[in-house]
Structure formats: structure tokens, C-alpha cells
Amino acid sequence: MTTKPRHVLSIAVQATKLGHAFLIDGVPYDWDLSQTANRSTKSSYDYTKSMIRYYQPELLVTERVSANPHKGERATELVNAIWQAAQDSNVPWMCVDRKQQHANKYAEAAVLAGRFPELQPYLPKTRTLWDEEPRRMIICEAVALGVVGNC
């Protein structure tokens, strides 16, 4: 008999930042982002180790970047460092495919904020074509990964 992990740490990777969400029984409990953890694989590794020490998760979840054509070699290196940190900490990890179930990231974020009202203040506004993606979007991605990993 297998049981679902109660405490899940999910880490989302983008070229300019890393975001994490800590879920308890499938509900986001804490979340944040780092714009420095992506500077090197060592930074990513250290960030993950500190999150593992702090939250003590039963499972670490991240994205299978090889399945995402929008993620490059840099994201793969960062995710590999995250996996290595999980292995070195004896924390089971899994990578999930990030399949978009909604029209776009903003629609997905709105659905997540509807499901988890505590995320409402962190909901990013839809950007115009010429704007950069809002920094907070990485938090929504981390929560989405955690929800998928907790199923």
C-alpha cells in the first residue's frame, strides 16, 4: 500500500528565477521566489538544500524540462542541480510534465487562485506583448507543479 506524501516541496525553474511552493495535504502553505538561485548550478543546489532543511518535505517535485520545448539547456542544468540536492538530502523526488490545461499561464493562475484564495494577492496581472513576464508567475508555476505531484 502506498500513501500520498503529506508535505511536498515543488520548485519551478525559469531562466531568470526559481520559485518554490510548499504544500501540506495538497494545499499551498508557503511560497516564494529567488532571483539569485538561478545564477549557477551551485546557487540552485544551495537554494534547494536550504529549502529542504527548512521544510523537511516528504517529496520534492520539479518539472521534466526535457518535455518542455520552451525550456533550454540552462533550465536542464538547474533542474539537475535541484535533483542532486534532493538525492544528497535523501528526499524522494519526481519530475512531472508541465501540461497546460488552460488557455495560458494567466488563466491557469486564475484557476489556482480560485481554488486557493490565499494566492489571490499573488495573482499576476496579464501582461501585454512587450512586457516581461511578471516575477510572481513562477510562484503559480510552482504551485501547479506541487498540485500535480500531490495527486
Side-chain angles (χ1 to χ4, degrees), residues 3-151:
T3 59
K4 283 189 344 182
R6 291 194 63 225
H7 302 122
V8 175
L9 175 65
S10 64
I11 300 179
V13 175
Q14 285 185 356
T16 58
K17 59 197 156 282
L18 264 64
H20 76 269
F22 180 65
L23 293 85
I24 298 176
D25 293 328
V27 177
Y29 176 76
D30 194 20
W31 51 85
D32 204 357
L33 63 92
S34 172
Q35 292 185 270
T36 59
N38 67 319
R39 291 187 179 161
S40 69
T41 54
K42 180 172 179 359
S43 297
S44 179
Y45 178 89
D46 292 343
Y47 174 81
T48 303
K49 288 284 278 187
S50 69
M51 294 297 103
I52 289 171
R53 272 193 304 277
Y54 183 76
Y55 294 112
Q56 298 181 2
E58 296 169 5
L59 177 68
L60 185 133
V61 178
T62 192
E63 179 179 6
R64 183 186 332 271
V65 293
S66 61
N68 187 338
H70 301 290
K71 302 282 184 173
E73 186 177 317
R74 177 87 175 127
T76 301
E77 292 170 356
L78 296 175
V79 167
N80 286 340
I82 291 167
W83 293 341
Q84 188 63 52
Q87 284 182 322
D88 291 349
S89 300
N90 292 320
V91 174
W93 54 268
M94 73 187 260
C95 49
V96 297
D97 292 331
R98 179 106 165 85
K99 296 195 178 183
Q100 190 57 261
Q101 304 279 330
H102 305 281
N104 55 47
K105 288 182 183 182
Y106 299 93
E108 179 181 47
V111 168
L112 286 170
R115 182 173 172 189
F116 307 114
E118 58 273 15
L119 292 176
Q120 194 69 40
Y122 298 90
L123 190 63
K125 295 190 183 341
T126 304
R127 69 183 178 122
T128 55
L129 186 60
W130 53 87
D131 289 333
E132 287 185 23
E133 182 174 273
R135 287 185 303 201
R136 293 180 182 173
M137 184 55 73
I138 193 78
I139 293 171
C140 296
E141 289 186 38
V143 170
L145 287 172
V147 168
V148 169
N150 201 40
C151 291

